Each structure stands twice: as structure tokens, then as C-alpha cells.
Amino acid sequence: MKFSPSYTHKEPLDIVHFRFGIITASWNYDITENLKKGAYEKFITRGVREGNIFHWKVPGSFELVYAADKICKTHSIDALIVIGAVIKGETHHFEYISQAVSQGIKDINLRYDVPVIFCVLTDENKRQSLDRSGGKKGNKGVECADTAIEMALFRRSLFL
Ligand code: RBF
């Protein structure tokens, strides 16, 4: 996926001061860890300081909503990525969890000034999730780090 921001910015200057949060769900740990690794490495590659990346863990994707809400309320960050993997083949709760998480994260985006980036895979089976977390279809975590940076720049362009 290609990004072509519709506004201008001085990338290295801004990014070096940005603070990013990453919340990772432990369910389907092998997948979510790869997504986190992809996001983290992309942040570093684009000039984010290691000390400005903050990590939290929650048990499952459902808990991402609570954690994101509390972190947005209490922490000074420029954008937050929520990482999870909900796999249909392994749960009858698939629709409930996917809906609750996507709606919950959407609500948080409207409630706070912090952009919350949705990095929750909702796949039919584990193979598809593996393909999207560092496999043959790339790594959604990497794309989400780019999105987080673009949204942090967008936010900064409104407030400065
Ligand atoms: N959490 C995930 O992140 N991915 C899943 O695929 C997933 N499947 C679940 C299936 C069932 C039947 C249940 C009860 C929970 C599942 N969870 C999953 C955990 C959920 O996000 C949450 O941690 C728990 O429901 C506790 O609130």
C-alpha cells in the first residue's frame, strides 16, 4: 500500500519528538508479536526514538478497547496502535469480538484527540493471519506504523 499525504511536513524534525503507544493482545501470540515487531521496526526506521515507543499487553483483543481508552485518557502520546488477531476458524465468538473491538476503537477515536490505529486482523483461518503478519502478504504492523506516523503528523498540523 502506498501513502501519499495530502499535506506537507518536515518529517525527520517532527518524528523525532513523537511518542507512540502499542497495545498488544496475547491471544494468537505468534501473530500479534510479529505485528508488533513490524510496527516497532518501522517506527525506528522512520526516526522514532526507542525511548518514545511505549508498550502494553492485554489478554485478548476484547481488552484492547478498555486499555486504549485508559491510555488515551492518562498518557501523552501522538498516536496509539492496537494489535490483535481474531481468527474465525477458532472461535464462534468471532463476529461478537470483531464487532465489539472495531466499534469500541472507533468510539475511542471520536472521544480523544489521540488517533488510535486499528491493527486487529480478523481472518478466516490462521494461515491468512500468518500471511498478513510477516508472511507472503506483508506485515500489517508495518503499514499501521506508517499510518500512526501520518496521523500524528496530521494531528500536529491541526494543533500547531
Ligand atoms: N481474543 C482474541 O484476541 N482472538 C481470538 O481469536 C479470540 N477468540 C476467543 C474465543 C472465545 C470462545 C472466547 C471466550 C474468547 C476469545 N478471545 C479471543 C479472548 C477475548 O478477546 C477476551 O480476552 C476474553 O473474552 C475475555 O474478555
Side-chain angles (χ1 to χ4, degrees):
M1 183 177 173
K2 284 214 169 107
F3 285 90
S4 44
S6 55
Y7 48 90
T8 56
H9 56 76
K10 306 184 213 83
E11 174 160 312
L13 226 61
D14 282 332
I15 287 178
V16 88
H17 300 297
F18 280 158
R19 293 155 55 88
F20 293 102
I22 302 176
I23 317 174
T24 309
S26 298
W27 263 75
N28 299 309
Y29 181 82
D30 44 347
I31 291 159
T32 58
E33 276 302 303
N34 276 343
L35 293 169
K36 182 172 89 175
K37 189 167 176 279
Y40 179 83
E41 286 173 0
K42 186 66 176 184
F43 277 144
I44 298 297
T45 305
R46 287 195 62 183
V48 179
R49 287 194 182 136
E50 211 180 312
N52 283 343
I53 305 171
F54 304 91
H55 300 272
W56 293 272
K57 267 193 182 158
V58 294
S61 293
F62 191 76
E63 283 72 42
L64 289 170
V65 179
Y66 174 87
D69 184 86
K70 299 305 164 221
I71 288 164
C72 287
K73 194 183 283 178
T74 56
H75 284 66
S76 172
I77 48 176
D78 293 279
L80 176 66
I81 301 179
V82 295
I83 293 178
V86 189
I87 299 173
K88 191 170 191 173
E90 292 175 15
T91 172
H92 297 299
H93 289 50
F94 178 81
E95 270 84 16
Y96 299 117
I97 294 176
S98 307
Q99 280 282 330
V101 178
S102 56
Q103 289 293 321
I105 297 301
K106 182 266 291 172
D107 290 345
I108 294 167
N109 269 289
L110 299 176
R111 193 173 306 143
Y112 302 101
D113 281 333
V114 181
V116 181
I117 312 305
F118 189 75
C119 189
V120 180
L121 300 185
T122 53
D123 285 311
E124 292 288 322
N125 55 56
K126 194 157 186 174
R127 179 73 264 153
Q128 289 177 341
S129 292
L130 287 168
D131 288 346
R132 293 186 171 93
S133 56
K136 65 180 179 203
K137 294 218 170 128
N139 187 326
K140 288 285 165 203
V142 174
E143 289 177 24
C144 285
D146 277 328
T147 305
I149 290 170
E150 298 310 323
M151 289 307 292
L153 289 164
F154 175 74
R155 173 178 180 266
R156 200 55 73 93
S157 77
L158 297 178
F159 293 148
L160 285 183

